[in-house]
Amino acid sequence: MQSRVIFLDYDGVVNTPMWNEKGTSCRYNFPSDGKVNNFQAVQWLSEACKKFHYDIVVTSTWRRSANYKECLINGGLREGIEILGKTEHLEVQEGWSRGREIQKYLDEHPEINYFMILDDENVPINEVQRDHFIQTVDAHGGFNEADFFTFEEIYMKKFLTLALAVLMMISMAACSTPTVDETPKTQDT
């Protein structure tokens, strides 16, 4: 079965600096808080997942915490969106980079036929991954409407490119199929 996956960083995407109610401090949430803190960003993420049928794989450092899935769910992730798991943490001596961790996950999961990468930082990724990468416009505001429309634009380009390729293959197959002349032949006597 083929699938679509968003490789998701939390900080700067769905977890952003927020002021407390008293206005005395501004901070990110942490796994110990039990949830990411930017409900609006989680809703834009949920909208992308629902509209384009994507599941989530977590690339954030939050993945090292046992409750990394619950933190996203508790932050407002809509029902029906599956968090498939997380990328493996590669040590520095193994050539760590988020791009390598994503590539390792893709290599181990050939059923993934579409993917997007959401991150607030310009992380080291390969050329193929670059075409699937969205860096949040505002790391302090997280994944927002503008980022959603960038996601939609990238998705539509990939989808239309694939649809065009399929149509071309069908057209080429139709052109190469021999036709049978169904005109009745008359015999000269």
Side-chain angles (χ1 to χ4, degrees):
M1 172 145 189
Q2 296 185 342
S3 66
R4 299 175 186 164
V5 168
I6 293 173
F7 290 99
L8 179 65
D9 180 33
Y10 283 5
D11 293 329
V13 181
V14 293
N15 189 61
T16 57
M18 294 282 179
W19 286 94
N20 68 8
E21 292 82 23
K22 296 178 184 177
T24 56
S25 69
C26 182
R27 72 175 191 90
Y28 287 90
N29 272 14
F30 297 95
S32 59
D33 294 313
K35 69 177 186 173
V36 296
N37 66 4
N38 191 324
F39 180 78
Q40 292 300 313
V42 174
Q43 292 312 300
W44 282 112
L45 171 68
S46 294
E47 186 65 18
C49 289
K50 289 286 196 176
K51 184 172 183 177
F52 304 111
H53 310 286
Y54 277 77
D55 293 319
I56 295 171
V57 172
V58 177
T59 60
S60 174
T61 55
W62 286 49
R63 71 187 187 271
R64 297 181 192 174
S65 298
N67 66 339
Y68 75 97
K69 288 183 181 182
E70 290 79 18
C71 288
L72 188 56
I73 293 165
N74 295 341
L77 188 69
R78 294 183 200 160
E79 282 189 41
I81 300 169
E82 190 171 352
I83 303 170
L84 300 175
K86 59 187 177 179
T87 55
E88 180 182 340
H89 174 70
L90 299 178
E91 296 298 328
V92 174
Q93 59 269 27
E94 297 176 66
W96 178 88
S97 81
R98 188 152 288 164
R100 286 180 190 232
E101 292 171 345
I102 290 168
Q103 191 59 54
K104 185 173 191 311
Y105 192 94
L106 288 169
D107 291 345
E108 293 170 353
H109 295 87
E111 70 278 7
I112 298 172
N113 60 336
Y114 292 103
F115 68 93
M116 296 288 230
I117 302 167
L118 303 182
D119 207 303
D120 66 314
E121 295 180 4
N122 191 10
V123 296
I125 54 178
N126 66 37
E127 287 305 312
V128 172
Q129 294 169 349
R130 181 73 43 205
D131 292 339
H132 302 260
F133 176 69
I134 298 173
Q135 183 175 1
T136 52
V137 173
D138 178 8
H140 296 292
F143 189 70
N144 60 27
E145 183 180 24
D147 298 319
F148 173 83
F149 287 122
T150 300
F151 186 105
E152 183 175 52
E153 181 181 330
I154 292 170
Y155 174 81
M156 293 307 290
K157 282 181 186 176
K158 299 270 182 230
F159 179 78
L160 292 174
T161 300
L162 178 63
L164 182 59
V166 169
L167 287 174
M168 289 177 63
M169 288 180 3
I170 291 169
S171 176
M172 290 172 51
C175 290
S176 65
T177 304
T179 58
V180 177
D181 184 8
E182 296 183 16
T183 309
K185 298 196 181 209
T186 58
Q187 289 187 348
D188 293 329
T189 52

